[in-house]
Amino acid sequence: MITLNHYLALGGMLFCIGLYGALAKKNAIAILMGIELMLNAVNINLVAFNHYLEPSKVVGQVFAIFVIVVAAAEVAVGLALVLNIYRRRLESNVDDFNWLKW
Amino acid sequence: MVNVQILIIEILMAVFGLGILCMGLLVPRDSRRGIGYVTAVGLAVLLILAFVMRDASGVFLNSYIIDPFGNYFKILFLAAALLTAVCSFEYVEKTGMNQSEYYSLLVLATLGMMILSSSGELISLYLGLELMTITFIILTGFHLDNSKSAEAGIKYLLLGALSSAIFLYGLSLVYGATGSTVIKQIGFVVATNGASPALVLGTIFLLAGFAFKVTVVPFHMWSPDVYEGAPTPVTGFLSVASKAASIAALFRVFFVALPSLNSFWVQLFIVLAVLTMVLGNLVAIPQTNIKRLLAYSSISQAGYLLLGIVSFSVLGVGAVMYYSMLYVFGNMGAFMAATAFYNSDSSDEIEDYSGLAQRSPLIAAVMLFSLLSLAGIPPMAGFIGKFYLFMSIISRGYIWLAILGILLSMVSVYYYLMVAKSMYLGAPPEGSKTIRVNSSLQIAMVVSLLILFVLGIYPTPLTNYAMNTAVTFFMP
């Protein structure tokens, strides 16, 4: 029997993996992918809470859809910025973004 | 019955922002300078409308709250956006940025702040936060030909997305622990059921997310880089308005949804306020770039704002509201002066400000008095603001915190006056000319300077307004 706690554990693990990826990776695109994992962990949480606590209302599912939409917008802006800086320096490694003091 | 008409200001803002974008496509390239003027006039009209409608109240579909508290912050955002738009005219034209997109994003960022500060529900709060953040990311990286701007944009994007993922995880836990996303409903559930571990964890995540937006130490690392790299008017707007918007949302979440946990989160805020005031003020001392200096100074200002939250009282809310309003004029004054200087000399280094008082008395005076207001020297408005903030925590018994804050204000006078020393006592560089400032920027600088003096000498109308609004917010 799969309970709410299983889903929350999955969400928590996915969140930690994403956080590790975002903090440890050097490539800007890999960092964005780590952040996507964190957002998907949030979606699992939201949908699981919705299913086990209040299946009649769909607040959690609606929230998850909004998260997906916003994440897409964020990635669109992010890739545009990475592309702009890559054209300038042929580089997407964040360690080399050191024109400003980090 | 859906009462759409109470959302009139937000609807007008959205239409206006998109209208500017379309206008950029219709107007020929050589006459796009007019778009800036249209934006400024439109924002001024909306500012007057928001001021006239400041007592409006109502709730839209249980999730969006129009109340005097939110309206106060709307006036603040529109004033800041208006000053930013006026400040941008020459800067945007000189740096060759796309005008219609720039002004459109400016208006949409303001709309995001309005939604953030007025939403009474977690989903719309999140949407407002992201609308504000994503538009600011684009504005930060807007100067495509400048590597610093591109780099600042990408740093803001990566750290901002990371912080909003953490914030969202907090939101999901709060939703799970209380079964609702309506802030008032969460307040009821928490008051009757008490705190669960998931709720406490969610609160900490939410705190981290807000602390990032308000640039609270240790979540401040992004701000000096982003402030230095972003176009100067954008930096000014980012440092005043996005901070005020996040503080307003923080009030709504912590004071309405989680007041029964206050003994827990007040402790966290005390630690954060002390760290922020100490680090912001001390690290500002060795800075040589005016935008980095103002970044660290705005970190320390965030520390003072947290004092009002620590006090958890009507006086504290009112003090934060008053302080953030005059912070708009103090900080925007400094950034307008920095923009005017950049327009002529293309430099942000403090050593280049040497002898500025002889080259342009107006820029030097606006910079000096804005910095004095930020430092809290009477008769400038900043003194009254800090006075109320310190009074609010003293009335709750945190005398040591007030003494620490006053001591650190003294430290801040030192680095603010280093800029003044360079401007007034230094000699102008060889062969430098007097600086011409365009008339609209001149008017904006003089107006914000006058407001700082008037609020410092005769603060009663604004303090009464802020305190009365705080009462309606805190005890509905």
Side-chain angles (χ1 to χ4, degrees), chain A residues 15-63:
Chain A
F15 186 81
C16 292
I17 294 170
L19 186 62
Y20 172 77
L23 295 177
K25 289 287 175 188
K26 297 294 175 200
N27 190 303
I29 301 201
I31 295 177
L32 280 176
M33 286 162 70
I35 291 166
E36 287 299 306
L37 277 187
M38 293 165 77
L39 294 177
N40 284 333
V42 172
N43 287 342
I44 290 176
N45 259 7
L46 286 172
V47 175
F49 278 132
N50 186 68
H51 181 75
Y52 284 94
L53 299 178
E54 268 186 300
S56 56
K57 288 190 202 163
V58 286
V59 179
Q61 297 184 22
V62 171
F63 203 157

Side-chain angles (χ1 to χ4, degrees), chain B residues 209-274:
Chain B
F210 279 124
F212 177 89
K213 298 289 180 231
V214 192
T215 65
V216 169
V217 177
F219 306 97
H220 69 289
M221 299 83 72
W222 60 280
S223 76
D225 282 350
V226 170
Y227 283 20
E228 187 185 342
T232 313
V234 173
T235 311
F237 196 42
L238 183 63
S239 69
V240 293
S242 82
K243 211 168 271 193
S246 313
I247 288 264
L250 199 155
F251 274 132
R252 286 210 193 267
V253 172
F254 282 84
F255 283 42
V256 179
L258 306 163
S260 38
L261 294 181
N262 78 73
S263 58
F264 162 67
W265 51 255
V266 162
Q267 304 296 325
L268 290 177
F269 275 116
I270 291 176
V271 175
L272 292 177
V274 170

Side-chain angles (χ1 to χ4, degrees), chain B residues 101-184:
Chain B
E101 285 90 336
Y102 178 87
Y103 290 110
S104 164
L105 287 169
L106 199 67
V107 173
L108 292 177
T110 317
L111 175 66
M113 291 167 198
M114 289 179 175
I115 296 175
L116 178 57
S117 63
S118 302
S119 56
E121 200 256 346
L122 299 180
I123 300 178
S124 50
L125 185 131
Y126 170 65
L127 281 180
L129 186 80
E130 287 297 321
L131 178 57
M132 178 183 92
T133 309
I134 294 179
T135 42
F136 264 125
I137 291 167
I138 306 174
L139 282 172
T140 302
F142 204 83
H143 196 177
L144 287 178
D145 301 329
N146 183 330
S147 310
K148 274 189 173 180
S149 174
E151 186 179 315
I154 205 156
K155 282 180 179 171
Y156 192 19
L157 172 92
L158 294 176
L159 293 173
L162 189 65
S163 89
S164 48
I166 291 170
F167 181 75
L168 258 182
Y169 199 72
L171 288 184
S172 79
L173 289 176
V174 170
Y175 164 65
T178 58
S180 171
T181 57
V182 179
I183 289 178
K184 222 169 197 160

Side-chain angles (χ1 to χ4, degrees), chain B residues 414-431:
Chain B
Y414 170 75
Y415 59 79
Y416 288 136
L417 284 183
M418 289 302 280
V419 181
K421 181 180 155 230
S422 172
M423 290 189 303
Y424 281 90
L425 301 180
E430 290 285 318

Side-chain angles (χ1 to χ4, degrees), chain A residues 67 69-70 73:
Chain A
V67 173
V69 170
V70 171

